[in-house]
Amino acid sequence: MTLFEDKPGDDGLPGSARMYAMFATMVTTTINVLDGSMINIALPQMATTFNAKASDVVWVANSYLLAVSMSIAFFSALATRIGFRKQFMSGLALFSLASLGCALSNSLEQLIFMRFIQGIGSAATMSIAPAIIKSIFPGRLLGRILGINALLVATCTAVAPIMSGSILVTLDWSWLFLINLPLGLLAITLAYKFLPQQKELDTRPLDKSGAVLSVLTLASTILCANVFSQDSDKINTQSILIYACVAVISGMLFIKRQKRATAPLLPLEIFANTRFTLSALTSFISFVAHTITFIALPFLYEFVFDFSPLKSALMFLPWPIGIILVAPHAGRLADKYNPPIISTLGLFVFGAGIVLLNTLPDNPSDIDILWRSFVCGAGFGIFQSPNNREIMSNVKAHYSSYASGVLAIMRTFGQSLGSVLIGVMLAYAHRNNIDDIQSASYAGIEMGLWIAAASVGVAVVLSGSRLKWKSTQA
């Protein structure tokens, strides 16, 4: 395979070692994606097991997201001190042990706590996975391998509901966590044997003050967003103000600290590269739109079109299939041609797909929905790999860990903001159509999808503007 052929001037690992190191990162990606997608489907069964309210059980998902979001920046910096290999293996071990703890939990509170620990382990690996890929493969293959990674994520996303449903029909939800153990052991073994040791580590002390401020900023932002996502009659204005104030103040102090620190947690100079900054913002906005659409469509299918949950899930399948079919090719093209051109084209297709879904007829056929969903997936698949390549290739090699962390932060916060926005739209629509749930749902969905389409429009402008700036390929 071309991915594992050596050519003169190649950096990274030699071909044979490259393959096994890639497997280590791919298995870890599989675990993270399957875990997140399958657990959400099991929340109703968990509520029954613990005799808990849905609003309480949702913290099984939220605690994981909170842990990931608040610790990504810290782990991006820590990896430059202890090395990718050591952090990657430690994160995998913590994730696997926490998975066992989740499976053995005998109370909701214990499960939520173990999910939080699991999220910390996941952040340790997610924050540096793209940087590890960059260290394994030569620059000429970066877009291609990121495209394969996008294909893997899409495949796992498509398979996860089927796997989860099959397991929950025959076994209980604890098995969704237990399957992480053999996969985690395999990934740790591969990482131990084949991930390279970093030759140069940052020997400066870790910016502890910056780490605390980053945790406060990211955690309070997520918690503030979570308050907005609650039922509109129960929104606590005081909590919103407190979280928002903590986020703003700690965020300002964090930026001030990073400008003055001799060894900052997140070197702000990486944002001096305009193409890097624009690519990060484009990623953030695209995930806002992606999440709005992904949350809105089940409501459209089940509340408005009266589809069964199974049929609703089937209507989603063309989306990951579209990503699977085009992402590897988009990554390959990004290695040969200007990545912003390809990713901007993908955003345009993605936005067109959202508009097409929002203009479905009142009684659409299955084909009407399926091909529109495919357009969205194909567009996002064309966009994501070249954009990720642009982020990772426009920083110096010793900053790759930080760029990897920024990439993960943009994705996580884009998803968080997207979920909040669609929640606000649905709450607003229900408040104004309290006697007609179906009409209220449709109104909220329609507003949400138009916001998603407008967001993609902004992302297209940002993405296209990169063309006038010179790339600094690393």
Side-chain angles (χ1 to χ4, degrees):
M1 290 181 65
T2 305
L3 287 173
F4 309 118
E5 291 178 359
D6 292 319
K7 290 189 175 182
D10 275 356
D11 51 357
L13 297 178
S16 56
R18 198 183 298 163
M19 178 175 63
Y20 294 108
M22 182 192 75
F23 286 158
T25 60
M26 294 298 186
V27 172
T28 305
T29 298
T30 299
I31 296 172
N32 286 325
V33 175
L34 288 179
D35 185 81
S37 301
M38 292 196 300
I39 298 309
N40 290 338
I41 295 172
L43 293 179
Q45 190 181 101
M46 293 175 182
T48 301
T49 299
F50 297 116
N51 193 25
K53 296 184 295 184
S55 58
D56 293 332
V57 173
V58 75
W59 272 98
V60 174
N62 288 351
S63 61
Y64 179 88
L65 177 63
L66 177 62
V68 171
S69 301
M70 66 189 286
S71 55
I72 280 178
F74 169 76
F75 282 121
S76 297
L78 182 64
T80 64
R81 272 78 175 178
I82 66 174
F84 294 159
R85 182 172 177 268
K86 185 176 181 179
Q87 179 171 303
F88 195 77
M89 291 174 59
S90 299
L92 274 169
L94 182 61
F95 180 90
S96 300
L97 290 173
S99 295
L100 179 61
C102 288
L104 299 177
S105 295
N106 52 27
S107 70
L108 181 60
E109 292 76 16
Q110 185 179 354
L111 177 58
I112 291 172
F113 175 74
M114 295 310 302
R115 279 286 283 171
F116 185 87
I117 301 301
Q118 196 183 36
I120 293 176
S122 180
T125 59
M126 287 171 55
S127 61
I128 57 172
I132 289 176
I133 289 174
K134 184 178 179 181
S135 71
I136 293 171
F137 286 88
R140 64 182 177 84
L141 296 174
L142 183 59
R144 193 171 305 183
I145 190 61
L146 289 173
I148 293 174
N149 191 66
L151 182 152
L152 176 65
V153 171
T155 303
C156 292
T157 302
V159 169
I162 300 172
M163 285 184 61
S164 181
S166 301
I167 291 173
L168 293 175
V169 166
T170 56
L171 303 166
D172 63 47
W173 55 263
S174 64
W175 285 92
L176 299 180
F177 296 106
L178 291 173
I179 61 175
N180 291 333
L181 299 180
L183 291 174
L185 181 60
L186 173 62
I188 291 172
T189 303
L190 290 171
Y192 177 76
K193 288 186 175 182
F194 299 107
L195 285 189
Q197 294 275 14
Q198 282 178 265
K199 296 179 180 179
E200 297 181 4
L201 296 176
D202 192 340
T203 57
R204 297 174 297 175
L206 190 67
D207 181 14
K208 297 181 179 64
S209 297
V212 172
L213 290 170
S214 75
V215 168
L216 283 174
T217 302
L218 299 172
S220 55
T221 302
I222 291 294
L223 290 170
C224 183
N226 182 71
V227 176
F228 274 107
S229 66
Q230 293 173 359
D231 188 279
S232 59
D233 294 331
K234 299 179 181 178
I235 288 180
N236 189 325
T237 305
Q238 184 178 3
S239 296
I240 292 173
L241 290 175
I242 292 173
Y243 289 137
C245 287
V246 172
V248 171
I249 293 172
S250 57
M252 293 173 64
L253 290 174
F254 175 76
I255 293 173
K256 184 177 180 180
R257 170 69 185 174
Q258 298 314 288
K259 289 180 177 179
R260 299 172 57 184
T262 54
L265 190 78
L266 179 63
L268 298 184
E269 55 262 37
I270 64 175
F271 295 101
N273 184 311
T274 305
R275 283 182 66 148
F276 172 84
T277 302
L278 289 173
S279 298
L281 288 173
T282 301
S283 180
F284 170 74
I285 296 173
S286 70
F287 273 102
V288 170
H290 185 275
T291 303
I292 289 175
T293 309
F294 241 56
I295 293 176
L297 289 180
F299 287 97
L300 178 67
Y301 298 155
E302 295 181 35
F303 283 12
V304 179
F305 297 151
D306 199 28
F307 291 170
S308 68
L310 176 59
K311 184 173 181 179
S312 177
L314 291 174
M315 292 297 104
F316 268 104
L317 277 179
W319 191 306
I321 289 174
I323 297 177
I324 290 169
L325 290 177
V326 306
H329 302 292
R332 189 178 299 113
L333 289 172
D335 287 331
K336 296 181 179 180
Y337 306 104
N338 200 339
I341 294 177
I342 302 169
S343 57
T344 303
L345 173 63
L347 282 171
F348 185 82
V349 175
F350 177 45
I354 295 174
V355 172
L356 288 168
L357 283 170
N358 207 20
T359 54
L360 279 166
D362 293 337
N363 295 295
S365 66
D366 292 350
I367 295 298
D368 285 332
I369 297 173
L370 292 172
W371 74 263
R372 286 170 168 84
S373 185
F374 179 85
V375 169
C376 284
F380 200 78
I382 295 170
F383 156 75
Q384 193 175 17
S385 303
N387 192 71
N388 289 353
R389 185 191 194 284
E390 186 75 355
I391 290 175
M392 294 305 301
S393 63
N394 273 286
V395 293
K396 301 294 184 181
H398 60 281
Y399 283 151
S400 61
S401 175
Y402 299 106
S404 183
V406 168
L407 182 59
I409 291 171
M410 293 300 104
R411 180 181 65 249
T412 303
F413 271 80
Q415 292 168 338
S416 299
L417 181 59
S419 65
V420 169
L421 286 174
I422 188 60
V424 170
M425 292 300 101
L426 288 170
Y428 174 80
H430 278 279
R431 195 161 53 241
N432 289 276
N433 297 274
I434 194 168
D435 296 324
D436 189 344
I437 294 178
Q438 187 179 52
S439 297
S441 297
Y442 183 72
I445 293 163
E446 188 176 40
M447 282 190 292
L449 290 177
W450 282 126
I451 289 174
S455 299
V456 175
V458 174
V460 167
V461 174
L462 288 174
S463 181
S465 69
R466 292 178 291 182
L467 295 172
K468 65 180 181 181
W469 296 95
K470 185 178 179 181
S471 175
T472 56
Q473 302 292 317

CSV table of all heavy atoms in Angstrom, one decimal, residues 339-377:
chain,number,residue,atom,x,y,z
A,339,PRO,N,-5.8,22.5,0.0
A,339,PRO,CA,-6.8,22.0,0.9
A,339,PRO,C,-8.0,23.0,1.1
A,339,PRO,O,-9.1,22.5,1.2
A,339,PRO,CB,-6.1,21.7,2.2
A,339,PRO,CG,-4.7,21.5,1.8
A,339,PRO,CD,-4.4,22.4,0.7
A,340,PRO,N,-7.8,24.3,1.3
A,340,PRO,CA,-8.9,25.2,1.5
A,340,PRO,C,-9.9,25.2,0.4
A,340,PRO,O,-11.1,25.3,0.6
A,340,PRO,CB,-8.3,26.6,1.6
A,340,PRO,CG,-6.9,26.3,2.2
A,340,PRO,CD,-6.5,25.1,1.5
A,341,ILE,N,-9.5,25.0,-0.9
A,341,ILE,CA,-10.4,24.9,-2.0
A,341,ILE,C,-11.3,23.7,-1.8
A,341,ILE,O,-12.5,23.8,-2.0
A,341,ILE,CB,-9.6,24.8,-3.3
A,341,ILE,CG1,-8.8,26.1,-3.6
A,341,ILE,CG2,-10.6,24.5,-4.5
A,341,ILE,CD1,-8.0,26.1,-4.8
A,342,ILE,N,-10.7,22.6,-1.5
A,342,ILE,CA,-11.5,21.3,-1.3
A,342,ILE,C,-12.5,21.4,-0.1
A,342,ILE,O,-13.6,21.1,-0.2
A,342,ILE,CB,-10.6,20.1,-1.2
A,342,ILE,CG1,-9.6,20.0,-2.4
A,342,ILE,CG2,-11.4,18.8,-1.0
A,342,ILE,CD1,-8.5,19.0,-2.2
A,343,SER,N,-12.0,21.9,1.0
A,343,SER,CA,-12.8,22.0,2.2
A,343,SER,C,-13.9,23.0,2.0
A,343,SER,O,-15.1,22.8,2.5
A,343,SER,CB,-12.0,22.3,3.4
A,343,SER,OG,-11.3,23.5,3.3
A,344,THR,N,-13.7,24.1,1.3
A,344,THR,CA,-14.7,25.1,1.0
A,344,THR,C,-15.8,24.5,0.1
A,344,THR,O,-17.0,24.7,0.4
A,344,THR,CB,-14.1,26.3,0.4
A,344,THR,OG1,-13.1,26.9,1.2
A,344,THR,CG2,-15.2,27.4,0.2
A,345,LEU,N,-15.4,23.7,-0.9
A,345,LEU,CA,-16.4,23.0,-1.7
A,345,LEU,C,-17.2,22.1,-0.9
A,345,LEU,O,-18.5,22.0,-1.1
A,345,LEU,CB,-15.6,22.3,-2.8
A,345,LEU,CG,-16.5,21.4,-3.7
A,345,LEU,CD1,-17.5,22.2,-4.5
A,345,LEU,CD2,-15.6,20.6,-4.7
A,346,GLY,N,-16.6,21.4,0.0
A,346,GLY,CA,-17.3,20.4,0.9
A,346,GLY,C,-18.3,21.2,1.7
A,346,GLY,O,-19.5,20.7,1.9
A,347,LEU,N,-18.0,22.3,2.3
A,347,LEU,CA,-18.9,23.1,3.1
A,347,LEU,C,-20.1,23.6,2.3
A,347,LEU,O,-21.2,23.6,2.8
A,347,LEU,CB,-18.2,24.3,3.7
A,347,LEU,CG,-17.3,24.0,4.9
A,347,LEU,CD1,-16.5,25.3,5.3
A,347,LEU,CD2,-18.1,23.6,6.1
A,348,PHE,N,-19.8,24.0,1.1
A,348,PHE,CA,-20.9,24.4,0.2
A,348,PHE,C,-21.9,23.3,-0.1
A,348,PHE,O,-23.1,23.5,0.0
A,348,PHE,CB,-20.4,24.9,-1.1
A,348,PHE,CG,-21.4,25.5,-2.1
A,348,PHE,CD1,-21.8,26.8,-1.9
A,348,PHE,CD2,-21.9,24.7,-3.1
A,348,PHE,CE1,-22.8,27.3,-2.8
A,348,PHE,CE2,-22.9,25.2,-3.9
A,348,PHE,CZ,-23.3,26.5,-3.8
A,349,VAL,N,-21.4,22.1,-0.3
A,349,VAL,CA,-22.3,20.9,-0.5
A,349,VAL,C,-23.0,20.6,0.8
A,349,VAL,O,-24.2,20.3,0.7
A,349,VAL,CB,-21.4,19.7,-1.0
A,349,VAL,CG1,-22.3,18.4,-1.1
A,349,VAL,CG2,-20.8,20.0,-2.4
A,350,PHE,N,-22.3,20.6,1.9
A,350,PHE,CA,-23.0,20.3,3.2
A,350,PHE,C,-24.1,21.3,3.5
A,350,PHE,O,-25.2,20.9,3.9
A,350,PHE,CB,-21.9,20.4,4.3
A,350,PHE,CG,-22.4,20.2,5.7
A,350,PHE,CD1,-23.3,19.2,6.0
A,350,PHE,CD2,-22.0,21.1,6.7
A,350,PHE,CE1,-23.7,19.0,7.3
A,350,PHE,CE2,-22.4,20.9,8.0
A,350,PHE,CZ,-23.3,19.9,8.3
A,351,GLY,N,-23.8,22.6,3.3
A,351,GLY,CA,-24.9,23.6,3.5
A,351,GLY,C,-26.1,23.4,2.5
A,351,GLY,O,-27.2,23.6,3.0
A,352,ALA,N,-25.8,23.1,1.3
A,352,ALA,CA,-26.9,22.8,0.3
A,352,ALA,C,-27.7,21.6,0.8
A,352,ALA,O,-29.0,21.7,0.7
A,352,ALA,CB,-26.3,22.5,-1.0
A,353,GLY,N,-27.1,20.6,1.4
A,353,GLY,CA,-27.8,19.5,1.9
A,353,GLY,C,-28.8,19.8,3.0
A,353,GLY,O,-29.9,19.3,3.1
A,354,ILE,N,-28.3,20.7,3.9
A,354,ILE,CA,-29.1,21.2,5.0
A,354,ILE,C,-30.3,21.9,4.5
A,354,ILE,O,-31.5,21.7,5.0
A,354,ILE,CB,-28.3,22.0,6.0
A,354,ILE,CG1,-27.2,21.2,6.7
A,354,ILE,CG2,-29.2,22.6,7.1
A,354,ILE,CD1,-26.3,22.0,7.6
A,355,VAL,N,-30.1,22.8,3.6
A,355,VAL,CA,-31.2,23.6,3.0
A,355,VAL,C,-32.2,22.6,2.3
A,355,VAL,O,-33.5,22.8,2.4
A,355,VAL,CB,-30.7,24.6,1.9
A,355,VAL,CG1,-31.9,25.2,1.2
A,355,VAL,CG2,-29.9,25.7,2.6
A,356,LEU,N,-31.7,21.6,1.6
A,356,LEU,CA,-32.6,20.6,1.0
A,356,LEU,C,-33.4,19.8,2.0
A,356,LEU,O,-34.6,19.6,1.8
A,356,LEU,CB,-31.8,19.6,0.1
A,356,LEU,CG,-31.2,20.2,-1.2
A,356,LEU,CD1,-30.1,19.2,-1.7
A,356,LEU,CD2,-32.3,20.4,-2.2
A,357,LEU,N,-32.8,19.5,3.1
A,357,LEU,CA,-33.6,18.8,4.2
A,357,LEU,C,-34.6,19.7,4.8
A,357,LEU,O,-35.7,19.3,5.2
A,357,LEU,CB,-32.6,18.3,5.3
A,357,LEU,CG,-31.8,17.1,5.0
A,357,LEU,CD1,-30.7,16.9,6.0
A,357,LEU,CD2,-32.7,15.8,4.9
A,358,ASN,N,-34.3,21.0,4.9
A,358,ASN,CA,-35.3,21.9,5.5
A,358,ASN,C,-36.4,22.3,4.6
A,358,ASN,O,-37.4,23.0,5.0
A,358,ASN,CB,-34.5,23.2,6.0
A,358,ASN,CG,-35.2,23.9,7.1
A,358,ASN,OD1,-36.0,23.3,7.8
A,358,ASN,ND2,-34.9,25.2,7.3
A,359,THR,N,-36.3,21.9,3.3
A,359,THR,CA,-37.3,22.2,2.3
A,359,THR,C,-38.0,21.0,1.8
A,359,THR,O,-38.5,20.9,0.7
A,359,THR,CB,-36.8,23.0,1.2
A,359,THR,OG1,-35.7,22.4,0.6
A,359,THR,CG2,-36.3,24.4,1.6
A,360,LEU,N,-38.0,19.9,2.7
A,360,LEU,CA,-38.7,18.7,2.3
A,360,LEU,C,-40.2,18.9,2.1
A,360,LEU,O,-40.8,19.8,2.8
A,360,LEU,CB,-38.5,17.6,3.4
A,360,LEU,CG,-37.2,16.8,3.4
A,360,LEU,CD1,-37.0,16.1,4.8
A,360,LEU,CD2,-37.1,15.8,2.3
A,361,PRO,N,-40.8,18.2,1.3
A,361,PRO,CA,-42.3,18.3,1.2
A,361,PRO,C,-43.0,17.8,2.4
A,361,PRO,O,-42.4,17.2,3.3
A,361,PRO,CB,-42.6,17.4,0.0
A,361,PRO,CG,-41.5,16.5,-0.2
A,361,PRO,CD,-40.3,17.2,0.3
A,362,ASP,N,-44.3,18.2,2.6
A,362,ASP,CA,-45.0,17.8,3.8
A,362,ASP,C,-45.1,16.3,4.0
A,362,ASP,O,-45.1,15.8,5.2
A,362,ASP,CB,-46.4,18.4,3.7
A,362,ASP,CG,-46.4,19.9,3.8
A,362,ASP,OD1,-45.4,20.4,4.3
A,362,ASP,OD2,-47.4,20.5,3.3
A,363,ASN,N,-45.2,15.5,2.9
A,363,ASN,CA,-45.2,14.1,3.0
A,363,ASN,C,-44.1,13.5,2.2
A,363,ASN,O,-44.4,12.9,1.1
A,363,ASN,CB,-46.6,13.6,2.6
A,363,ASN,CG,-47.7,14.0,3.6
A,363,ASN,OD1,-47.7,13.7,4.7
A,363,ASN,ND2,-48.6,14.9,3.0
A,364,PRO,N,-42.9,13.5,2.6
A,364,PRO,CA,-41.8,13.1,1.7
A,364,PRO,C,-41.7,11.6,1.6
A,364,PRO,O,-42.1,10.9,2.5
A,364,PRO,CB,-40.5,13.6,2.4
A,364,PRO,CG,-40.9,13.6,3.9
A,364,PRO,CD,-42.4,14.0,3.9
A,365,SER,N,-41.2,11.1,0.5
A,365,SER,CA,-41.0,9.7,0.3
A,365,SER,C,-39.6,9.4,1.0
A,365,SER,O,-38.9,10.3,1.3
A,365,SER,CB,-40.9,9.3,-1.2
A,365,SER,OG,-39.8,10.0,-1.8
A,366,ASP,N,-39.4,8.1,1.2
A,366,ASP,CA,-38.1,7.8,1.8
A,366,ASP,C,-36.9,8.2,1.0
A,366,ASP,O,-35.9,8.7,1.5
A,366,ASP,CB,-38.0,6.2,2.0
A,366,ASP,CG,-39.0,5.8,3.1
A,366,ASP,OD1,-39.6,6.6,3.8
A,366,ASP,OD2,-39.2,4.5,3.2
A,367,ILE,N,-37.1,8.1,-0.4
A,367,ILE,CA,-36.0,8.5,-1.3
A,367,ILE,C,-35.7,10.0,-1.1
A,367,ILE,O,-34.6,10.4,-1.2
A,367,ILE,CB,-36.3,8.2,-2.7
A,367,ILE,CG1,-36.4,6.6,-2.9
A,367,ILE,CG2,-35.3,8.7,-3.7
A,367,ILE,CD1,-35.1,5.9,-2.6
A,368,ASP,N,-36.8,10.8,-1.0
A,368,ASP,CA,-36.6,12.3,-0.8
A,368,ASP,C,-35.7,12.6,0.4
A,368,ASP,O,-34.8,13.5,0.3
A,368,ASP,CB,-37.9,12.9,-0.5
A,368,ASP,CG,-38.8,13.0,-1.7
A,368,ASP,OD1,-38.3,13.1,-2.8
A,368,ASP,OD2,-40.1,13.1,-1.6
A,369,ILE,N,-35.8,11.8,1.5
A,369,ILE,CA,-35.0,12.0,2.7
A,369,ILE,C,-33.6,11.4,2.5
A,369,ILE,O,-32.6,12.1,2.8
A,369,ILE,CB,-35.7,11.4,3.9
A,369,ILE,CG1,-37.0,12.1,4.1
A,369,ILE,CG2,-34.8,11.6,5.1
A,369,ILE,CD1,-37.8,11.5,5.2
A,370,LEU,N,-33.5,10.2,1.9
A,370,LEU,CA,-32.3,9.5,1.9
A,370,LEU,C,-31.2,10.2,1.0
A,370,LEU,O,-30.1,10.4,1.5
A,370,LEU,CB,-32.5,8.1,1.3
A,370,LEU,CG,-33.3,7.2,2.2
A,370,LEU,CD1,-33.6,5.9,1.5
A,370,LEU,CD2,-32.5,6.8,3.5
A,371,TRP,N,-31.6,10.7,-0.1
A,371,TRP,CA,-30.6,11.4,-1.0
A,371,TRP,C,-30.1,12.7,-0.4
A,371,TRP,O,-29.0,13.1,-0.6
A,371,TRP,CB,-31.1,11.5,-2.4
A,371,TRP,CG,-32.1,12.5,-2.8
A,371,TRP,CD1,-33.4,12.4,-2.9
A,371,TRP,CD2,-31.8,13.9,-3.1
A,371,TRP,NE1,-34.0,13.6,-3.2
A,371,TRP,CE2,-33.1,14.5,-3.4
A,371,TRP,CE3,-30.7,14.7,-3.2
A,371,TRP,CZ2,-33.2,15.9,-3.7
A,371,TRP,CZ3,-30.8,16.0,-3.5
A,371,TRP,CH2,-32.0,16.6,-3.8
A,372,ARG,N,-31.0,13.4,0.3
A,372,ARG,CA,-30.7,14.7,0.9
A,372,ARG,C,-29.7,14.4,2.0
A,372,ARG,O,-28.7,15.2,2.2
A,372,ARG,CB,-31.9,15.4,1.4
A,372,ARG,CG,-32.7,16.0,0.3
A,372,ARG,CD,-34.1,16.5,0.9
A,372,ARG,NE,-34.8,17.4,0.0
A,372,ARG,CZ,-35.6,16.9,-1.0
A,372,ARG,NH1,-35.8,15.6,-1.2
A,372,ARG,NH2,-36.2,17.8,-1.8
A,373,SER,N,-29.9,13.4,2.8
A,373,SER,CA,-29.0,13.0,3.9
A,373,SER,C,-27.7,12.6,3.4
A,373,SER,O,-26.6,13.0,3.9
A,373,SER,CB,-29.6,11.8,4.7
A,373,SER,OG,-28.9,11.5,5.8
A,374,PHE,N,-27.7,11.9,2.2
A,374,PHE,CA,-26.4,11.6,1.6
A,374,PHE,C,-25.6,12.8,1.2
A,374,PHE,O,-24.4,12.8,1.4
A,374,PHE,CB,-26.6,10.7,0.4
A,374,PHE,CG,-25.4,10.2,-0.3
A,374,PHE,CD1,-24.7,9.1,0.1
A,374,PHE,CD2,-24.9,11.0,-1.4
A,374,PHE,CE1,-23.5,8.7,-0.5
A,374,PHE,CE2,-23.8,10.6,-2.1
A,374,PHE,CZ,-23.1,9.5,-1.6
A,375,VAL,N,-26.3,13.8,0.7
A,375,VAL,CA,-25.6,15.0,0.2
A,375,VAL,C,-24.9,15.7,1.4
A,375,VAL,O,-23.8,16.1,1.3
A,375,VAL,CB,-26.6,16.0,-0.4
A,375,VAL,CG1,-26.0,17.4,-0.6
A,375,VAL,CG2,-27.1,15.5,-1.8
A,376,CYS,N,-25.6,15.7,2.6
A,376,CYS,CA,-25.0,16.3,3.8
A,376,CYS,C,-23.8,15.5,4.2
A,376,CYS,O,-22.7,16.1,4.5
A,376,CYS,CB,-26.0,16.3,5.0
A,376,CYS,SG,-27.3,17.5,4.9
A,377,GLY,N,-23.9,14.2,4.2
A,377,GLY,CA,-22.7,13.4,4.6
A,377,GLY,C,-21.5,13.6,3.7
A,377,GLY,O,-20.4,13.7,4.1
